[in-house]
mmCIF file with all atom_site columns, all heavy atoms in Angstrom:
data_model
loop_
_atom_site.group_PDB
_atom_site.id
_atom_site.type_symbol
_atom_site.label_atom_id
_atom_site.label_alt_id
_atom_site.label_comp_id
_atom_site.label_asym_id
_atom_site.label_entity_id
_atom_site.label_seq_id
_atom_site.pdbx_PDB_ins_code
_atom_site.Cartn_x
_atom_site.Cartn_y
_atom_site.Cartn_z
_atom_site.occupancy
_atom_site.B_iso_or_equiv
_atom_site.pdbx_formal_charge
_atom_site.auth_seq_id
_atom_site.auth_comp_id
_atom_site.auth_asym_id
_atom_site.auth_atom_id
_atom_site.pdbx_PDB_model_num
ATOM 1   N N   . LYS A 1 2   ? 0.604  2.137  -0.923  1.00 67.00 ? 2   LYS A N   1
ATOM 2   C CA  . LYS A 1 2   ? 1.417  3.334  -1.027  1.00 67.00 ? 2   LYS A CA  1
ATOM 3   C C   . LYS A 1 2   ? 1.022  4.303  0.067   1.00 67.00 ? 2   LYS A C   1
ATOM 4   O O   . LYS A 1 2   ? -0.155 4.589  0.268   1.00 67.00 ? 2   LYS A O   1
ATOM 5   C CB  . LYS A 1 2   ? 1.204  3.950  -2.414  1.00 67.00 ? 2   LYS A CB  1
ATOM 6   C CG  . LYS A 1 2   ? 1.627  3.010  -3.531  1.00 67.00 ? 2   LYS A CG  1
ATOM 7   C CD  . LYS A 1 2   ? 1.190  3.503  -4.874  1.00 67.00 ? 2   LYS A CD  1
ATOM 8   C CE  . LYS A 1 2   ? 1.568  2.493  -5.958  1.00 67.00 ? 2   LYS A CE  1
ATOM 9   N NZ  . LYS A 1 2   ? 1.055  2.885  -7.273  1.00 67.00 ? 2   LYS A NZ  1
ATOM 10  N N   . GLU A 1 3   ? 2.024  4.855  0.761   1.00 86.00 ? 3   GLU A N   1
ATOM 11  C CA  . GLU A 1 3   ? 1.716  5.686  1.911   1.00 86.00 ? 3   GLU A CA  1
ATOM 12  C C   . GLU A 1 3   ? 2.623  6.897  1.980   1.00 86.00 ? 3   GLU A C   1
ATOM 13  O O   . GLU A 1 3   ? 3.726  6.919  1.434   1.00 86.00 ? 3   GLU A O   1
ATOM 14  C CB  . GLU A 1 3   ? 1.876  4.873  3.201   1.00 86.00 ? 3   GLU A CB  1
ATOM 15  C CG  . GLU A 1 3   ? 0.834  3.773  3.367   1.00 86.00 ? 3   GLU A CG  1
ATOM 16  C CD  . GLU A 1 3   ? 0.971  3.060  4.689   1.00 86.00 ? 3   GLU A CD  1
ATOM 17  O OE1 . GLU A 1 3   ? 2.022  3.160  5.313   1.00 86.00 ? 3   GLU A OE1 1
ATOM 18  O OE2 . GLU A 1 3   ? 0.004  2.384  5.091   1.00 86.00 ? 3   GLU A OE2 1
ATOM 19  N N   . SER A 1 26  ? 6.413  6.197  0.278   1.00 92.00 ? 26  SER A N   1
ATOM 20  C CA  . SER A 1 26  ? 6.804  4.818  -0.024  1.00 92.00 ? 26  SER A CA  1
ATOM 21  C C   . SER A 1 26  ? 6.992  4.557  -1.519  1.00 92.00 ? 26  SER A C   1
ATOM 22  O O   . SER A 1 26  ? 7.699  3.612  -1.890  1.00 92.00 ? 26  SER A O   1
ATOM 23  C CB  . SER A 1 26  ? 5.769  3.844  0.535   1.00 92.00 ? 26  SER A CB  1
ATOM 24  O OG  . SER A 1 26  ? 4.509  4.070  -0.062  1.00 92.00 ? 26  SER A OG  1
ATOM 25  N N   . ASN A 1 27  ? 6.381  5.360  -2.366  1.00 87.00 ? 27  ASN A N   1
ATOM 26  C CA  . ASN A 1 27  ? 6.444  5.106  -3.801  1.00 87.00 ? 27  ASN A CA  1
ATOM 27  C C   . ASN A 1 27  ? 7.612  5.854  -4.424  1.00 87.00 ? 27  ASN A C   1
ATOM 28  O O   . ASN A 1 27  ? 7.564  7.077  -4.590  1.00 87.00 ? 27  ASN A O   1
ATOM 29  C CB  . ASN A 1 27  ? 5.131  5.522  -4.464  1.00 87.00 ? 27  ASN A CB  1
ATOM 30  C CG  . ASN A 1 27  ? 5.098  5.207  -5.955  1.00 87.00 ? 27  ASN A CG  1
ATOM 31  O OD1 . ASN A 1 27  ? 6.068  4.660  -6.507  1.00 87.00 ? 27  ASN A OD1 1
ATOM 32  N ND2 . ASN A 1 27  ? 4.015  5.540  -6.609  1.00 87.00 ? 27  ASN A ND2 1
ATOM 33  N N   . ALA A 1 29  ? 8.506  6.042  -7.335  1.00 85.00 ? 29  ALA A N   1
ATOM 34  C CA  . ALA A 1 29  ? 8.208  6.619  -8.647  1.00 85.00 ? 29  ALA A CA  1
ATOM 35  C C   . ALA A 1 29  ? 7.401  7.907  -8.550  1.00 85.00 ? 29  ALA A C   1
ATOM 36  O O   . ALA A 1 29  ? 6.983  8.456  -9.571  1.00 85.00 ? 29  ALA A O   1
ATOM 37  C CB  . ALA A 1 29  ? 7.443  5.595  -9.486  1.00 85.00 ? 29  ALA A CB  1
ATOM 38  N N   . SER A 1 30  ? 7.176  8.410  -7.358  1.00 85.00 ? 30  SER A N   1
ATOM 39  C CA  . SER A 1 30  ? 6.387  9.631  -7.182  1.00 85.00 ? 30  SER A CA  1
ATOM 40  C C   . SER A 1 30  ? 7.004  10.782 -7.948  1.00 85.00 ? 30  SER A C   1
ATOM 41  O O   . SER A 1 30  ? 8.230  10.903 -8.044  1.00 85.00 ? 30  SER A O   1
ATOM 42  C CB  . SER A 1 30  ? 6.293  9.987  -5.692  1.00 85.00 ? 30  SER A CB  1
ATOM 43  O OG  . SER A 1 30  ? 5.587  8.981  -4.990  1.00 85.00 ? 30  SER A OG  1
ATOM 44  N N   . GLN A 1 31  ? 6.138  11.640 -8.482  1.00 81.00 ? 31  GLN A N   1
ATOM 45  C CA  . GLN A 1 31  ? 6.592  12.660 -9.416  1.00 81.00 ? 31  GLN A CA  1
ATOM 46  C C   . GLN A 1 31  ? 6.760  14.037 -8.807  1.00 81.00 ? 31  GLN A C   1
ATOM 47  O O   . GLN A 1 31  ? 7.672  14.775 -9.177  1.00 81.00 ? 31  GLN A O   1
ATOM 48  C CB  . GLN A 1 31  ? 5.590  12.748 -10.575 1.00 81.00 ? 31  GLN A CB  1
ATOM 49  C CG  . GLN A 1 31  ? 5.418  11.454 -11.355 1.00 81.00 ? 31  GLN A CG  1
ATOM 50  C CD  . GLN A 1 31  ? 6.626  11.141 -12.210 1.00 81.00 ? 31  GLN A CD  1
ATOM 51  O OE1 . GLN A 1 31  ? 7.427  12.016 -12.487 1.00 81.00 ? 31  GLN A OE1 1
ATOM 52  N NE2 . GLN A 1 31  ? 6.758  9.882  -12.600 1.00 81.00 ? 31  GLN A NE2 1
ATOM 53  N N   . SER A 1 32  ? 5.851  14.425 -7.939  1.00 87.00 ? 32  SER A N   1
ATOM 54  C CA  . SER A 1 32  ? 5.925  15.774 -7.392  1.00 87.00 ? 32  SER A CA  1
ATOM 55  C C   . SER A 1 32  ? 5.414  15.782 -5.961  1.00 87.00 ? 32  SER A C   1
ATOM 56  O O   . SER A 1 32  ? 4.703  14.876 -5.528  1.00 87.00 ? 32  SER A O   1
ATOM 57  C CB  . SER A 1 32  ? 5.139  16.762 -8.267  1.00 87.00 ? 32  SER A CB  1
ATOM 58  O OG  . SER A 1 32  ? 3.834  16.290 -8.521  1.00 87.00 ? 32  SER A OG  1
ATOM 59  N N   . VAL A 1 90  ? 1.925  13.877 -1.907  1.00 90.00 ? 90  VAL A N   1
ATOM 60  C CA  . VAL A 1 90  ? 2.751  13.342 -2.982  1.00 90.00 ? 90  VAL A CA  1
ATOM 61  C C   . VAL A 1 90  ? 1.860  13.063 -4.189  1.00 90.00 ? 90  VAL A C   1
ATOM 62  O O   . VAL A 1 90  ? 0.799  12.453 -4.055  1.00 90.00 ? 90  VAL A O   1
ATOM 63  C CB  . VAL A 1 90  ? 3.442  12.042 -2.515  1.00 90.00 ? 90  VAL A CB  1
ATOM 64  C CG1 . VAL A 1 90  ? 4.145  11.358 -3.672  1.00 90.00 ? 90  VAL A CG1 1
ATOM 65  C CG2 . VAL A 1 90  ? 4.406  12.340 -1.377  1.00 90.00 ? 90  VAL A CG2 1
ATOM 66  N N   . ASN A 1 91  ? 2.305  13.531 -5.346  1.00 83.00 ? 91  ASN A N   1
ATOM 67  C CA  . ASN A 1 91  ? 1.609  13.237 -6.589  1.00 83.00 ? 91  ASN A CA  1
ATOM 68  C C   . ASN A 1 91  ? 2.350  12.111 -7.281  1.00 83.00 ? 91  ASN A C   1
ATOM 69  O O   . ASN A 1 91  ? 3.518  12.255 -7.624  1.00 83.00 ? 91  ASN A O   1
ATOM 70  C CB  . ASN A 1 91  ? 1.567  14.481 -7.479  1.00 83.00 ? 91  ASN A CB  1
ATOM 71  C CG  . ASN A 1 91  ? 0.713  14.286 -8.722  1.00 83.00 ? 91  ASN A CG  1
ATOM 72  O OD1 . ASN A 1 91  ? 0.649  13.197 -9.276  1.00 83.00 ? 91  ASN A OD1 1
ATOM 73  N ND2 . ASN A 1 91  ? 0.064  15.341 -9.148  1.00 83.00 ? 91  ASN A ND2 1
ATOM 74  N N   . GLU A 1 92  ? 1.654  10.982 -7.464  1.00 77.00 ? 92  GLU A N   1
ATOM 75  C CA  . GLU A 1 92  ? 2.319  9.821  -8.045  1.00 77.00 ? 92  GLU A CA  1
ATOM 76  C C   . GLU A 1 92  ? 2.471  9.916  -9.551  1.00 77.00 ? 92  GLU A C   1
ATOM 77  O O   . GLU A 1 92  ? 3.123  9.065  -10.163 1.00 77.00 ? 92  GLU A O   1
ATOM 78  C CB  . GLU A 1 92  ? 1.541  8.555  -7.669  1.00 77.00 ? 92  GLU A CB  1
ATOM 79  C CG  . GLU A 1 92  ? 1.532  8.279  -6.174  1.00 77.00 ? 92  GLU A CG  1
ATOM 80  C CD  . GLU A 1 92  ? 0.975  6.928  -5.856  1.00 77.00 ? 92  GLU A CD  1
ATOM 81  O OE1 . GLU A 1 92  ? -0.036 6.554  -6.469  1.00 77.00 ? 92  GLU A OE1 1
ATOM 82  O OE2 . GLU A 1 92  ? 1.554  6.247  -5.012  1.00 77.00 ? 92  GLU A OE2 1
ATOM 83  N N   . GLY A 1 93  ? 1.860  10.943 -10.139 1.00 69.00 ? 93  GLY A N   1
ATOM 84  C CA  . GLY A 1 93  ? 1.999  11.107 -11.574 1.00 69.00 ? 93  GLY A CA  1
ATOM 85  C C   . GLY A 1 93  ? 1.285  10.013 -12.325 1.00 69.00 ? 93  GLY A C   1
ATOM 86  O O   . GLY A 1 93  ? 0.298  9.472  -11.846 1.00 69.00 ? 93  GLY A O   1
ATOM 87  N N   . GLY A 1 94  ? 1.765  9.704  -13.497 1.00 62.00 ? 94  GLY A N   1
ATOM 88  C CA  . GLY A 1 94  ? 1.099  8.691  -14.306 1.00 62.00 ? 94  GLY A CA  1
ATOM 89  C C   . GLY A 1 94  ? -0.166 9.234  -14.921 1.00 62.00 ? 94  GLY A C   1
ATOM 90  O O   . GLY A 1 94  ? -0.482 10.413 -14.813 1.00 62.00 ? 94  GLY A O   1
ATOM 91  N N   . GLY A 1 97  ? -2.667 10.741 -12.226 1.00 58.00 ? 97  GLY A N   1
ATOM 92  C CA  . GLY A 1 97  ? -2.283 11.895 -11.414 1.00 58.00 ? 97  GLY A CA  1
ATOM 93  C C   . GLY A 1 97  ? -2.737 11.781 -9.983  1.00 58.00 ? 97  GLY A C   1
ATOM 94  O O   . GLY A 1 97  ? -3.228 12.738 -9.390  1.00 58.00 ? 97  GLY A O   1
ATOM 95  N N   . ASN A 1 98  ? -2.551 10.605 -9.400  1.00 72.00 ? 98  ASN A N   1
ATOM 96  C CA  . ASN A 1 98  ? -3.096 10.372 -8.071  1.00 72.00 ? 98  ASN A CA  1
ATOM 97  C C   . ASN A 1 98  ? -2.305 11.091 -6.982  1.00 72.00 ? 98  ASN A C   1
ATOM 98  O O   . ASN A 1 98  ? -1.079 11.129 -7.007  1.00 72.00 ? 98  ASN A O   1
ATOM 99  C CB  . ASN A 1 98  ? -3.109 8.865  -7.804  1.00 72.00 ? 98  ASN A CB  1
ATOM 100 C CG  . ASN A 1 98  ? -4.015 8.503  -6.656  1.00 72.00 ? 98  ASN A CG  1
ATOM 101 O OD1 . ASN A 1 98  ? -4.866 9.294  -6.261  1.00 72.00 ? 98  ASN A OD1 1
ATOM 102 N ND2 . ASN A 1 98  ? -3.828 7.321  -6.107  1.00 72.00 ? 98  ASN A ND2 1
ATOM 103 N N   . LEU A 1 99  ? -3.025 11.653 -6.012  1.00 80.00 ? 99  LEU A N   1
ATOM 104 C CA  . LEU A 1 99  ? -2.434 12.340 -4.876  1.00 80.00 ? 99  LEU A CA  1
ATOM 105 C C   . LEU A 1 99  ? -2.538 11.462 -3.642  1.00 80.00 ? 99  LEU A C   1
ATOM 106 O O   . LEU A 1 99  ? -3.583 10.883 -3.378  1.00 80.00 ? 99  LEU A O   1
ATOM 107 C CB  . LEU A 1 99  ? -3.174 13.645 -4.606  1.00 80.00 ? 99  LEU A CB  1
ATOM 108 C CG  . LEU A 1 99  ? -3.180 14.676 -5.715  1.00 80.00 ? 99  LEU A CG  1
ATOM 109 C CD1 . LEU A 1 99  ? -4.171 15.767 -5.396  1.00 80.00 ? 99  LEU A CD1 1
ATOM 110 C CD2 . LEU A 1 99  ? -1.792 15.258 -5.906  1.00 80.00 ? 99  LEU A CD2 1
ATOM 111 N N   . ILE A 1 100 ? -1.450 11.395 -2.898  1.00 86.00 ? 100 ILE A N   1
ATOM 112 C CA  . ILE A 1 100 ? -1.445 10.659 -1.644  1.00 86.00 ? 100 ILE A CA  1
ATOM 113 C C   . ILE A 1 100 ? -1.153 11.651 -0.528  1.00 86.00 ? 100 ILE A C   1
ATOM 114 O O   . ILE A 1 100 ? -0.163 12.396 -0.598  1.00 86.00 ? 100 ILE A O   1
ATOM 115 C CB  . ILE A 1 100 ? -0.380 9.549  -1.638  1.00 86.00 ? 100 ILE A CB  1
ATOM 116 C CG1 . ILE A 1 100 ? -0.532 8.641  -2.870  1.00 86.00 ? 100 ILE A CG1 1
ATOM 117 C CG2 . ILE A 1 100 ? -0.486 8.733  -0.352  1.00 86.00 ? 100 ILE A CG2 1
ATOM 118 C CD1 . ILE A 1 100 ? -1.806 7.840  -2.908  1.00 86.00 ? 100 ILE A CD1 1
ATOM 119 N N   . ARG B 2 98  ? 2.765  16.488 -14.521 1.00 50.00 ? 98  ARG B N   1
ATOM 120 C CA  . ARG B 2 98  ? 3.438  15.753 -13.455 1.00 50.00 ? 98  ARG B CA  1
ATOM 121 C C   . ARG B 2 98  ? 3.782  16.604 -12.252 1.00 50.00 ? 98  ARG B C   1
ATOM 122 O O   . ARG B 2 98  ? 4.111  16.093 -11.206 1.00 50.00 ? 98  ARG B O   1
ATOM 123 C CB  . ARG B 2 98  ? 4.716  15.118 -13.997 1.00 50.00 ? 98  ARG B CB  1
ATOM 124 C CG  . ARG B 2 98  ? 4.442  14.086 -15.054 1.00 50.00 ? 98  ARG B CG  1
ATOM 125 C CD  . ARG B 2 98  ? 5.669  13.433 -15.641 1.00 50.00 ? 98  ARG B CD  1
ATOM 126 N NE  . ARG B 2 98  ? 6.940  13.918 -15.216 1.00 50.00 ? 98  ARG B NE  1
ATOM 127 C CZ  . ARG B 2 98  ? 8.098  13.435 -15.662 1.00 50.00 ? 98  ARG B CZ  1
ATOM 128 N NH1 . ARG B 2 98  ? 8.110  12.464 -16.521 1.00 50.00 ? 98  ARG B NH1 1
ATOM 129 N NH2 . ARG B 2 98  ? 9.224  13.919 -15.256 1.00 50.00 ? 98  ARG B NH2 1
#
Side-chain angles (χ1 to χ4, degrees):
Chain A
K2 299 169 183 175
E3 292 184 342
S26 61
N27 183 1
S30 296
Q31 300 288 342
S32 51
V90 172
N91 187 326
E92 296 190 318
N98 197 17
L99 299 169
I100 307 294
Chain B
R98 296 179 356 180

